[in-house]
C-alpha cells in the first residue's frame, strides 16, 4: 500500500522539528518569546473563550499546533544588505564568481530577487510576539474591569510571568472573584407622565430584576430597551442619553439598590408623542440634481410621490415596500423596515429617510430613492472538468431590465452555451465533441401574484415575491440530440429574520431525446461488448437498433446463473442507455423552509437548517387518461414522473478563534416513486461526489451502495452525506483546511433488475458509507475565494473485505477539486 500522504506528513514533521530551534531566531537578547497564556479563575483553568478576549498580547498564531506564520517570517533574513555596492564590497568572492558566470546586470538582478524574496517572507509572515510586561499589566486591568462589571466588586487579579529556557515565556493570570453582588430594590424616577405610562406597560420585560446578579450589561440592555420602546411609541426626540442609573452598593450583604432615572425632556424641550403628518417619496433622487425643480408630482392615498424627471414607478406597487404611514405615530421600526424592503427590491442604489419637525410638533417623512441603472448586461465564462466531462468551456450572457412594469419588477434574460469533451464517444477525434445551448427568462415581482388577497396570511412585511421562470436548452451529446423545457412559478417570503420560505406552485421539466436510435452508433465500445456476448453465447449478429431488444429477450436470470459477469455487463449497458435516453415530464410542486441564525456574511459561529418537500405528478396523472405501451400515463406522449421527495440539511459552524472555524454539514434525502413511476427521473435523482460533496470521488463516480458499476452516471434515490471541515489561516490571504467526508447513495425501489449491493437494507447498509479525507488550500480575494481541495479515498465500500481501508490512499489516486467559495 502506497502511503505518500503519510510520508508527506512525516517529512513535514521532521522539517518542523528541525526548525523548532529557529522559532526564537529574531527574539532579541534579554527578551522572551511569548508562547502561552493561561487564566485561572478561583484556582480552576478557564475554558471560556470570551474571557480570553481580554488578553492584550497573545502568542503567535498556531496552525495545527505549529507557529507556521512565525516560521514563514523567520525564513527571511533581516540582515540581508539592501545596498548593492555595500554587498559587493563585503562579498567580493561571491560577486566575482557570479559576474564571471553572469553579467553585472544579471548579478544585480539576481541579488535584488533574493532581497525581494527575503522581504516577502518577512512581510507576509508573523513577527515573534515578545513578552511585554506593560501589556501584561493592561491584561490584568482588563480582567479586573470585566469581573467588576459582572458584579464582583471584590475582584483581585494577579499575573505571573514564567521565563523558560531558550528565550521562551509563559504567563499565568490568577483571578479571585470573590462573591458577586445581587440586585435588591429597584426604584424608578420618571417625571414625564407620558413616558411613565409607556414604561409601565412593558415593565415586566425589564432586564433589571430583583435577585439577578449585578451586571453592567443588564443596565446597557435596559437602556437600549427603553430607548427602542419610546422611539417606537412616537417619542421622536428620545435618545438613550436620557436614561441613567444610580447604584448603591453600601449594603454589606452583597446587595445593591438600583435607581432608574428617565429625564422628561432634552434641551428643555419636553418629550411628547409625535405623529407623521406628511410622507414624501422622491423616486429619482440624485445628489447632483437635488437642487433642480420637481417636474412630476402625484398624490396617492395620502402619500406624495415626486420626481425630478418623469415619475417611473407605480405608487400602488411601490407602497408595498413603504411602512411609514401618514397620520400614525413615529416609529423607528417602520423606518428600518422601509429601508430593508426597498433595498430588497434591487432597484435602488441608495435609500435615505429623513424626518423634519413641523410647527405643530408633527413630522414630515422624506424618502429619497436613488435608482440603479435600468438596464445591465453581464457575461461570464468558466472551465469545468469531471469524469464525464474531461473538458468543458461554457459562457453565459445575461440581460437585466429593472422596473419593467413600473412596479419595481426585474426581468432577467440569459443565453448560455457550452462545448464539452465527453469520453467514450464516436467523435473522439475532436477535442470538444459535444455542445449545449439554451436560454431562460424570468420575471421577479416584489409581491404575490395570486387570484386572491393573501396579505392577511403573509403581510407585506414578510417581503413576499413571485418569480416566473421559463427556459429551454438544446444539447448535442456527441450525436444524441436532447431538448429540455423548464417552467417555474415560485412564491418566496421571510416570516422572520432567520426563517425563509419558498413555495413552488410549479417546478416542471420536460426532457425529450431526439435521436435515440443513434445511441449505439455513438457508444461503439458498448455495442462491441454486447455484440461479443451475442456472438459468444447466442451466435447472433446485432444491429445498433436491436441491442436493447436482445438484452430484454436473452439476458435473464438463467443467463445470470451461468454467466454472472456478462449478465452484469449487459445490465449496466442497458441501465446507462436508459439514463441517457430517458424521456420524461416532471410536473412537481415543492416547499422549502430555511432557518439561518447568522448575523451577517462575516459571522463564523451560527447554524442553519433546510427542509425541502417535493411532490410530482399527482394532479397531472389524475387529469390525463393517455397511456404508453407500458401502461404509464403520458402527456404529450411522454411518461409523467410521479414521486415524493424529502431533503433535510443541517449546517453548524463553530468559531474556535478569529481565524479558525470548525464546520459541519449533514444531508439526507429520499425520493420514492409510486403510482405512474417505478423509478426517479435521472435529472431529479441523487448523485454523490464532486468539489462540493464527497471530495475523494468525482461527480457520479460512486455508488449506489457497494457496487462498482463502471458507469459514467451513477444515481440513486436515497442519499446521505456528512462533512466535517477545519478551516484555518496559513498566511495572510492564504487559508487551509482539513476535512473528512462520508456518504453514499442507494437504491430503495426494490426493482428486480437492481443488484443487491446497490440496495439499502437498513442498518447493515451503513457499512456502504464511503469515507474520504484530505486537505485544501484556499486563496481569499475578499470578494471571491478560490479553492483547491485534495481528496483521498480513505474507506472504499466496494473493495474486498480487508482492503477497504487506505488501499488507494495516495497521491496517484488523489482527486483534485477546483472550486469557488467554500464547499458548504
Amino acid at each position: 500500500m502506497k502511503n505518500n500522504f503519510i510520508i508527506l506528513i512525516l517529512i513535514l514533521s521532521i522539517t518542523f522539528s528541525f526548525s523548532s530551534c529557529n522559532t526564537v531566531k529574531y527574539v532579541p537578547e534579554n527578551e522572551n518569546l511569548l508562547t502561552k497564556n493561561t487564566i485561572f479563575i478561583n484556582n480552576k483553568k478557564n475554558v471560556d473563550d470570551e474571557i480570553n478576549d481580554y488578553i492584550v498580547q497573545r502568542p503567535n498564531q498556531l496552525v495545527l499546533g505549529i507557529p507556521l506564520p512565525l516560521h514563514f517570517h523567520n525564513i527571511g533574513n533581516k540582515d540581508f544588505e539592501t545596498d548593492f555596492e555595500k554587498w559587493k564590497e563585503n562579498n567580493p568572492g561571491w560577486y566575482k564568481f557570479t559576474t564571471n558566470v553572469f553579467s553585472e546586470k544579471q548579478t544585480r538582478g539576481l541579488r535584488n530577487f533574493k532581497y525581494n524574496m527575503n522581504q516577502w517572507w518577512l512581510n507576509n509572515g508573523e513577527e515573534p510576539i515578545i513578552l511585554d510586561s506593560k501589556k501584561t499589566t493592561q491584561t490584568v486591568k482588563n480582567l479586573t474591569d470585566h469581573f467588576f462589571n459582572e458584579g464582583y466588586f471584590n475582584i483581585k487579579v494577579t499575573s505571573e510571568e514564567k521565563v523558560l529556557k531558550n528565550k521562551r515565556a509563559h504567563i499565568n493570570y490568577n483571578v479571585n472573584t470573590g462573591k458577586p453582588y445581587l440586585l435588591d430594590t429597584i426604584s424608578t424616577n420618571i417625571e414625564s407622565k407620558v413616558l411613565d405610562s409607556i414604561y409601565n406597560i412593558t415593565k415586566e420585560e425589564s432586564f433589571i430584576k430583583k435577585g439577578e446578579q449585578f451586571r453592567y450589561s443588564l443596565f446597557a440592555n435596559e437602556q437600549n430597551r427603553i430607548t427602542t420602546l419610546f422611539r417606537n411609541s412616537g417619542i421622536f426626540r428620545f435618545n438613550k442619553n436620557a436614561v441613567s442609573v444610580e447604584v448603591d452598593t453600601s449594603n454589606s450583604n452583597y446587595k445593591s439598590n438600583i435607581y432608574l432615572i428617565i429625564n422628561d425632556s432634552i434641551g428643555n424641550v419636553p418629550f411628547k408623542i409625535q405623529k407623521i403628518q406628511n410622507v414624501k417619496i422622491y423616486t429619482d433622487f440624485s445628489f447632483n440634481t437635488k437642487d433642480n425643480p420637481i417636474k412630476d408630482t402625484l398624490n396617492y392615498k395620502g402619500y406624495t410621490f415626486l420626481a425630478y424627471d418623469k415619475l417611473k414607478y407605480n405608487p400602488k406597487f411601490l407602497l408595498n415596500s413603504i411602512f411609514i404611514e401618514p397620520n400614525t405615530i413615529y416609529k423607528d421600526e417602520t423606518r428600518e423596515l422601509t429601508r430593508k424592503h426597498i433595498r430588497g427590491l434591487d432597484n435602488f442604489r441608495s435609500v435615505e429617510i429623513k424626518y423634519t419637525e413641523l410647527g405643530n410638533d408633527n413630522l414630515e417623512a422624506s424618502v429619497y430613492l436613488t435608482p440603479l441603472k435600468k438596464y445591465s448586461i453581464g457575461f461570464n465564462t468558466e472551465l469545468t472538468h469531471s469524469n464525464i466531462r474531461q473538458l468543458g468551456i461554457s459562457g453565459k450572457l445575461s440581460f437585466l431590465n429593472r422596473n419593467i412594469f413600473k412596479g419595481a419588477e426585474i426581468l432577467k434574460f440569459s443565453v448560455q452555451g457550452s462545448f464539452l469533451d465527453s469520453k467514450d464517444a464516436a467523435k473522439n477525434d475532436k477535442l470538444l465533441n459535444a455542445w449545449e445551448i439554451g436560454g431562460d427568462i424570468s420575471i421577479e415581482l416584489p409581491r404575490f401574484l395570486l387570484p386572491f388577497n393573501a396579505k392577511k396570511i403573509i403581510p407585506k412585511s414578510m417581503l413576499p415575491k413571485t418569480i416566473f421562470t421559463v427556459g429551454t436548452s438544446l444539447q448535442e451529446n456527441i450525436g444524441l440530440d436532447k431538448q429540455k423545457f423548464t417552467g417555474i412559478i415560485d412564491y418566496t417570503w421571510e416570516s422572520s429574520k432567520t426563517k425563509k420560505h419558498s413555495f413552488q406552485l410549479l417546478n416542471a421539466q420536460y426532457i425529450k431525446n431526439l435521436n435515440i436510435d443513434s445511441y449505439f452508433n455513438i457508444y461503439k465500445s458498448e455495442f462491441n461488448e454486447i455484440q461479443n456476448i451475442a456472438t459468444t453465447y447466442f451466435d447472433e449478429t446485432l444491429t445498433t437498433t436491436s441491442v436493447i431488444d436482445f438484452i430484454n429477450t436473452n439476458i435473464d436470470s438463467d443467463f445470470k446463473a451461468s454467466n454472472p459477469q456478462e449478465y452484469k455487463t449487459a445490465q449496466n449497458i442497458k441501465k446507462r442507455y436508459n439514463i441517457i435516453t430517458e424521456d420524461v415530464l416532471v410536473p412537481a410542486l415543492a416547499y422549502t423552509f430555511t432557518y439561518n441564525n447568522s448575523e451577517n456574511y462575516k459571522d463564523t459561529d451560527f447554524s442553519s437548517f433546510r427542509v425541502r418537500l417535493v411532490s410530482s405528478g399527482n394532479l397531472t396523472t389524475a387529469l390525463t387518461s393517455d397511456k404508453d405501451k407500458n401502461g404509464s400515463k403520458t402527456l404529450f406522449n411522454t411518461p409523467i414522473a410521479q414521486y415524493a421527495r424529502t431533503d433535510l440539511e443541517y449546517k453548524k459552524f463553530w468559531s474556535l478563534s478569529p481565524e479558525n472555524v470548525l464546520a459541519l454539514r449533514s444531508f439526507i434525502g429520499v425520493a420514492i416513486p409510486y403510482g405512474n413511476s417505478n423509478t426517479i427521473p435521472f435529472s431529479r435523482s441523487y448523485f454523490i461526489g464532486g468539489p462540493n460533496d464527497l471530495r475523494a470521488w468525482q461527480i457520479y463516480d460512486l455508488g449506489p451502495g457497494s457496487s462498482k458499476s463502471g458507469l459514467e452516471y451513477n444515481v440513486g434515490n436515497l442519499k446521505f452525506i456528512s462533512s466535517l471541515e477545519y478551516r484555518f489561516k496559513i498566511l495572510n490571504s492564504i487559508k487551509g483546511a482539513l476535512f473528512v467526508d462520508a456518504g453514499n447513495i442507494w437504491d430503495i425501489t426494490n426493482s428486480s433488475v437492481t443488484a443487491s449491493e446497490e440496495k439499502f437494507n437498513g442498518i447493515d447498509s451503513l457499512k456502504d458509507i464511503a469515507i474520504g479525507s484530505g486537505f485544501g488550500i484556499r486563496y481569499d480575494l475578499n470578494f471571491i475565494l478560490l479553492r483547491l481541495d485534495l481528496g483521498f479515498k480513505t474507506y472504499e465500500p466496494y473493495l474486498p473485505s480487508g482492503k477497504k481501508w487506505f488501499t488507494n490512499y495516495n497521491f496517484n489516486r488523489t482527486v483534485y477539486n477546483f472550486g469557488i467559495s467554500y464547499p458548504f
Side-chain angles (χ1 to χ4, degrees):
M1 181 177 64
K2 297 180 180 179
N3 289 310
N4 297 352
F5 184 66
I6 297 175
I7 294 172
L8 176 64
I9 295 297
L10 290 173
I11 293 173
L12 290 175
S13 300
I14 295 171
T15 301
F16 281 116
S17 66
F18 277 114
S19 63
S20 61
C21 60
N22 197 39
T23 306
V24 295
K25 176 180 178 180
Y26 289 124
V27 176
E29 288 298 323
N30 302 319
E31 301 284 358
N32 296 285
L33 178 72
L34 179 61
T35 57
K36 187 178 180 181
N37 287 313
T38 308
I39 300 176
F40 296 93
I41 301 176
N42 298 325
N43 298 320
K44 292 183 179 180
K45 188 176 180 179
N46 171 65
V47 294
D48 186 353
D49 287 336
E50 182 182 351
I51 301 300
N52 292 328
D53 291 341
Y54 296 97
I55 298 176
V56 175
Q57 66 170 344
R58 306 184 184 194
N60 290 95
Q61 178 189 337
L62 298 179
V63 177
L64 303 177
I66 301 170
L68 200 57
L70 174 60
H71 284 301
F72 282 135
H73 174 82
N74 289 348
I75 291 174
N77 182 3
K78 286 185 178 182
D79 298 325
F80 196 89
E81 296 177 78
T82 59
D83 182 76
F84 179 78
E85 298 301 328
K86 186 176 180 181
W87 171 82
K88 182 170 63 174
E89 180 182 339
N90 293 337
N91 300 272
W94 178 246
Y95 171 74
K96 184 178 180 180
F97 171 76
T98 54
T99 51
N100 287 336
V101 178
F102 307 103
S103 67
E104 170 84 12
K105 182 178 180 180
Q106 290 173 323
T107 300
R108 184 184 295 270
L110 183 64
R111 160 63 185 55
N112 289 339
F113 172 78
K114 187 175 180 180
Y115 169 75
N116 291 331
M117 284 298 299
N118 271 282
Q119 292 301 305
W120 190 91
W121 289 113
L122 292 170
N123 294 332
N124 287 278
E126 186 180 43
E127 292 188 4
I129 304 299
I130 306 301
L131 176 63
D132 186 337
S133 295
K134 291 182 179 179
K135 293 181 178 180
T136 303
T137 302
Q138 182 60 50
T139 298
V140 170
K141 183 180 183 304
N142 290 350
L143 290 170
T144 302
D145 291 344
H146 166 71
F147 284 99
F148 187 89
N149 291 336
E150 291 291 296
Y152 297 97
F153 298 148
N154 298 320
I155 180 69
K156 184 178 180 181
V157 182
T158 60
S159 64
E160 181 184 6
E161 298 179 348
K162 291 187 174 182
V163 177
L164 309 175
K165 63 180 181 179
N166 200 14
K167 295 184 178 181
R168 290 172 170 80
H170 293 175
I171 305 177
N172 291 337
Y173 296 96
N174 299 296
V175 180
N176 188 349
T177 62
K179 189 176 180 181
Y181 274 68
L182 305 179
L183 303 181
D184 194 14
T185 61
I186 300 171
S187 305
T188 58
N189 181 6
I190 308 175
E191 296 182 9
S192 169
K193 292 182 179 180
V194 174
L195 299 188
D196 186 60
S197 62
I198 296 172
Y199 174 83
N200 285 320
I201 293 174
T202 61
K203 187 176 181 179
E204 295 302 318
E205 299 176 9
S206 173
F207 289 94
I208 306 174
K209 295 180 180 180
K210 184 175 181 177
E212 292 283 340
Q213 182 174 328
F214 183 104
R215 289 187 175 90
Y216 275 103
S217 59
L218 295 178
F219 304 126
N221 291 340
E222 179 65 3
Q223 186 184 48
N224 292 331
R225 186 191 75 85
I226 291 172
T227 302
T228 301
L229 170 66
F230 289 148
R231 289 189 63 83
N232 284 321
S233 301
I235 315 300
F236 171 71
R237 301 191 188 102
F238 196 87
N239 63 65
K240 63 181 182 181
N241 293 327
V243 183
S244 60
V245 176
E246 293 183 0
V247 181
D248 179 9
T249 59
S250 60
N251 199 324
S252 60
N253 58 357
Y254 293 94
K255 293 184 178 181
S256 54
N257 300 321
I258 308 301
Y259 301 92
L260 178 67
I261 302 169
I262 301 177
N263 298 335
D264 64 348
S265 64
I266 184 170
N268 295 322
V269 179
F271 293 126
K272 61 176 62 177
I273 296 176
Q274 294 178 270
K275 287 188 175 182
I276 298 169
Q277 182 173 312
N278 305 318
V279 180
K280 293 182 177 181
I281 303 170
Y282 297 82
T283 60
D284 58 352
F285 177 80
S286 171
F287 182 80
N288 295 329
T289 61
K290 62 183 178 65
D291 296 326
N292 292 356
I294 299 295
K295 293 183 180 180
D296 199 356
T297 304
L298 176 66
N299 292 311
Y300 180 79
K301 290 189 175 182
Y303 294 84
T304 302
F305 290 82
L306 306 100
Y308 292 91
D309 194 359
K310 184 179 179 180
L311 189 61
K312 298 177 181 179
Y313 290 87
N314 188 323
K316 176 184 176 181
F317 296 134
L318 194 56
L319 285 182
N320 287 329
S321 298
I322 304 292
F323 296 87
I324 304 167
E325 300 179 5
N327 302 314
T328 60
I329 64 173
Y330 168 84
K331 292 183 179 181
D332 265 1
E333 60 188 17
T334 58
R335 175 167 62 179
E336 293 307 311
L337 202 55
T338 297
R339 182 181 287 114
K340 173 187 174 183
H341 279 243
I342 290 177
R343 286 174 176 168
L345 296 177
D346 195 25
N347 266 249
F348 301 97
R349 183 167 60 251
S350 66
V351 183
E352 188 174 1
I353 302 174
K354 294 182 178 180
Y355 290 87
T356 304
E357 293 193 67
L358 305 177
N360 56 3
D361 278 336
N362 284 344
L363 301 172
E364 180 177 87
S366 298
V367 182
Y368 298 94
L369 306 178
T370 303
L372 289 164
K373 291 182 179 180
K374 182 174 177 60
Y375 303 105
S376 62
I377 297 177
F379 179 74
N380 61 69
T381 61
E382 68 175 354
L383 295 175
T384 59
H385 169 75
S386 70
N387 59 315
I388 300 169
R389 298 173 176 181
Q390 298 301 295
L391 175 65
I393 302 174
S394 62
K396 181 177 181 179
L397 178 66
S398 57
F399 170 81
L400 188 146
N401 183 346
R402 295 182 175 88
N403 194 38
I404 185 171
F405 301 125
K406 296 188 175 182
E409 305 88 359
I410 297 177
L411 171 70
K412 296 179 181 178
F413 174 73
S414 64
V415 291
Q416 55 270 343
S418 58
F419 296 89
L420 313 170
D421 177 31
S422 182
K423 67 180 184 180
D424 194 22
K427 299 179 183 179
N428 54 19
D429 56 322
K430 295 183 179 180
L431 175 62
L432 300 175
N433 50 28
W435 54 264
E436 182 175 358
I437 59 171
D440 56 71
I441 184 169
S442 69
I443 298 177
E444 179 181 306
L445 292 78
R447 54 192 174 275
F448 278 171
L449 191 63
L450 291 168
F452 58 89
N453 192 340
K455 289 184 178 179
K456 291 185 178 180
I457 304 173
I458 301 175
K460 68 177 186 178
S461 60
M462 291 187 180
L463 201 61
K465 291 183 180 180
T466 305
I467 305 172
F468 297 95
T469 304
V470 292
T472 184
S473 67
L474 179 64
Q475 177 189 100
E476 183 185 277
N477 186 14
I478 53 179
L480 286 174
D481 301 334
K482 179 177 291 188
Q483 190 160 17
K484 299 179 184 177
F485 294 94
T486 58
I488 301 173
I489 303 175
D490 192 7
Y491 298 93
T492 67
W493 68 97
E494 300 178 10
S495 57
S496 71
K497 183 180 178 181
T498 58
K499 300 172 184 176
K500 296 182 180 180
H501 309 260
S502 169
F503 177 70
Q504 292 183 337
L505 183 63
L506 178 68
N507 186 332
Q509 186 177 56
Y510 172 72
I511 302 174
K512 183 69 175 177
N513 290 279
L514 306 177
N515 198 15
I516 296 176
D517 290 341
S518 298
Y519 182 87
F520 287 104
N521 287 324
I522 297 160
Y523 290 99
K524 289 185 176 180
S525 61
E526 294 187 4
F527 176 77
N528 292 335
E529 287 188 76
I530 291 295
Q531 181 61 72
N532 184 54
I533 293 174
T535 302
T536 304
Y537 299 97
F538 300 94
D539 195 26
E540 288 189 27
T541 300
L542 304 178
T543 66
T544 56
T545 58
S546 64
V547 171
I548 299 302
D549 288 338
F550 169 79
I551 294 175
N552 291 335
T553 303
N554 298 284
I555 310 301
D556 53 18
S557 57
D558 292 336
F559 183 78
K560 179 181 179 180
S562 57
N563 304 281
Q565 185 59 46
E566 288 76 9
Y567 173 87
K568 182 178 180 181
T569 299
Q571 291 296 338
N572 279 341
I573 290 173
K574 178 183 175 182
K575 182 184 292 186
R576 176 176 171 180
Y577 170 87
N578 290 333
I579 287 173
I580 295 179
T581 63
E582 175 185 50
D583 290 347
V584 68
L585 175 65
V586 186
L589 179 150
Y591 168 74
T592 304
F593 169 77
T594 304
Y595 171 83
N596 189 318
N597 63 4
S598 65
E599 295 294 329
N600 52 58
Y601 73 96
K602 293 183 178 180
D603 194 356
T604 56
D605 199 326
F606 67 95
S607 60
S608 70
F609 172 75
R610 183 180 69 90
V611 57
R612 180 173 172 82
L613 307 173
V614 181
S615 175
S616 173
N618 293 333
L619 179 61
T620 313
T621 53
L623 295 177
T624 184
S625 58
D626 296 338
K627 294 184 178 181
D628 62 13
K629 61 182 180 180
N630 297 318
S632 298
K633 287 190 174 183
T634 63
L635 187 65
F636 310 125
N637 295 319
T638 303
I640 301 168
Q642 191 170 15
Y643 66 90
R645 171 172 166 161
T646 301
D647 297 341
L648 300 173
E649 183 177 47
Y650 174 75
K651 299 177 184 178
K652 176 65 179 176
F653 300 84
W654 294 271
S655 180
L656 306 179
S657 71
E659 297 291 348
N660 292 265
V661 176
L662 186 64
L664 170 70
R665 181 268 308 269
S666 291
F667 172 91
I668 186 168
V670 59
I672 302 175
Y674 62 92
N676 202 54
S677 299
N678 296 318
T679 60
I680 305 299
F682 172 70
S683 62
R684 303 299 172 98
S685 297
Y686 298 107
F687 63 86
I688 199 163
N692 299 319
D693 207 271
L694 193 60
R695 285 164 281 185
W697 280 264
Q698 293 182 338
I699 188 171
Y700 291 109
D701 203 28
L702 176 67
S706 60
S707 66
K708 187 65 173 175
S709 68
L711 293 178
E712 291 184 13
Y713 302 90
N714 293 293
V715 295
N717 51 5
L718 172 64
K719 177 178 180 178
F720 170 77
I721 177 73
S722 188
S723 299
L724 185 66
E725 182 169 286
Y726 172 57
R727 300 168 182 171
F728 51 88
K729 178 181 177 181
I730 298 178
L731 194 66
N732 288 346
S733 297
I734 302 174
K735 300 183 178 181
L738 299 174
F739 60 84
V740 176
D741 303 325
N744 209 333
I745 54 174
W746 292 267
D747 186 283
I748 58 172
T749 61
N750 293 321
S751 171
S752 58
V753 299
T754 300
S756 59
E757 63 266 22
E758 299 179 7
K759 296 180 180 180
F760 184 81
N761 300 305
I763 299 292
D764 188 56
S765 291
L766 296 181
K767 69 179 184 299
D768 297 338
I769 294 177
I771 301 175
S773 57
F775 62 91
I777 300 294
R778 290 89 189 267
Y779 190 73
D780 191 351
L781 297 173
N782 291 325
F783 65 93
I784 195 172
L785 182 134
L786 305 178
R787 172 167 57 93
L788 170 62
D789 288 337
L790 280 69
F792 299 86
K793 293 177 175 62
T794 307
Y795 176 83
E796 300 173 75
Y798 44 79
L799 293 181
S801 179
K803 295 185 178 181
K804 298 179 185 290
W805 287 96
F806 300 107
T807 297
N808 294 302
Y809 198 83
N810 54 68
F811 281 103
N812 290 333
R813 300 297 179 92
T814 301
V815 175
Y816 297 89
N817 299 276
F818 296 93
I820 295 175
S821 190
Y822 290 107
F824 59 90

